[in-house]
């Protein structure tokens, strides 16, 4: 169980491909509104490889968990693969948001997400409110666990 409520110095790491930016903004807004510190690499920002590595190390080392917005393009992105690989090495909890109806995890990503909690945002044109509510419910439970009953 993640208890980020007791560790506000930790953040929720958002890992995404730019094609999934709209969903990322909605979930990011929800988390921020509920007081969760978030971190995401601004995709398309120009920086030296050493600076990128430094940013990723900071993000992973200070993360409570990672939310991955996976799609075919995420699968193919070396940067996304690097983000998730670093999180797995640190044994962070992974929450999967499937964003592409054609998504099939390949290679190391398939191993990472097997058996992980996921929410299906992949059927476009459908009302996504139930999926978003599922994410909210899961995130609220994971990040704000109910108090232990008095002993």
């Amino acid at each position: 169980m993640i208890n980020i409520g007791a560790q506000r110095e930790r953040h929720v790491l958002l890992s995404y491909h730019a094609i999934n930016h709209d969903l990322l903004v909605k979930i990011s807004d929800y988390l921020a509104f509920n007081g969760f510190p978030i971190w995401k690499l601004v995709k398309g920002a120009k920086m030296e490889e050493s600076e990128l590595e430094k940013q990723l190390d900071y993000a992973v080392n200070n993360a409570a968990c990672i939310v991955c917005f996976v799609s075919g393009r995420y699968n193919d992105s070396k940067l996304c693969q690097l983000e998730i690989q670093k999180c797995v090495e640190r044994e962070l909890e992974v929450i999967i948001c499937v964003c592409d109806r054609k998504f099939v995890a390949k290679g190391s990503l398939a191993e990472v997400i097997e058996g992980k909690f996921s929410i299906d945002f992949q059927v476009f044109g459908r009302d996504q409110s139930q999926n978003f509510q599922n994410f909210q419910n899961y995130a609220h439970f994971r990040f704000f666990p109910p108090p232990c009953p008095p002993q």
Side-chain angles (χ1 to χ4, degrees):
M1 176 103 28
I2 304 165
N3 192 351
I4 196 171
Q7 299 179 338
R8 290 294 180 189
E9 69 276 0
R10 298 249 179 233
H11 55 248
V12 176
L13 174 56
L14 303 177
S15 179
Y16 68 104
H17 186 277
I19 198 165
N20 299 315
H21 190 262
D22 291 344
L23 177 59
L24 170 99
V25 168
K26 289 178 184 176
I27 290 178
S28 177
D29 287 350
Y30 165 77
L31 292 169
F33 178 79
N34 285 284
F36 297 109
I38 56 167
W39 192 96
K40 62 185 181 231
L41 184 64
V42 177
K43 305 298 177 166
K46 302 288 184 206
M47 66 178 79
E48 297 292 322
E49 191 170 328
S50 62
E51 179 62 22
L52 175 63
E53 190 77 25
K54 187 172 147 184
Q55 291 283 327
L56 284 177
D57 286 343
Y58 170 83
V60 172
N61 290 332
N62 293 287
C65 70
I66 180 172
V67 178
C68 298
F69 298 83
V70 297
S71 64
R73 293 209 178 154
Y74 186 98
N75 234 351
D76 298 335
S77 166
K78 292 195 184 317
L79 178 56
C80 294
Q81 292 290 327
L82 183 59
E83 286 175 337
I84 190 106
Q85 176 188 354
K86 286 180 173 284
C87 290
V88 167
E89 288 169 2
R90 200 165 159 266
E91 299 180 354
L92 290 178
E93 176 159 352
V94 178
I95 300 171
I96 304 296
C97 294
V98 181
C99 302
D100 180 348
R101 66 177 170 234
K102 296 178 183 177
F103 173 73
V104 176
K106 297 183 241 176
S108 60
L109 183 60
E111 294 171 21
V112 169
I113 69 172
E114 183 178 339
K116 302 288 189 245
F117 177 78
S118 66
I119 299 174
D120 181 5
F121 285 95
Q122 64 184 325
V123 181
F124 297 107
R126 165 176 93 187
D127 178 16
Q128 295 291 341
S129 60
Q130 184 60 50
N131 285 334
F132 193 66
Q133 186 62 48
N134 289 344
F135 178 86
Q136 289 175 329
N137 292 342
Y138 183 78
H140 189 75
F141 174 76
R142 296 300 293 168
F143 301 137
F144 290 114
C148 295
Q151 300 271 342

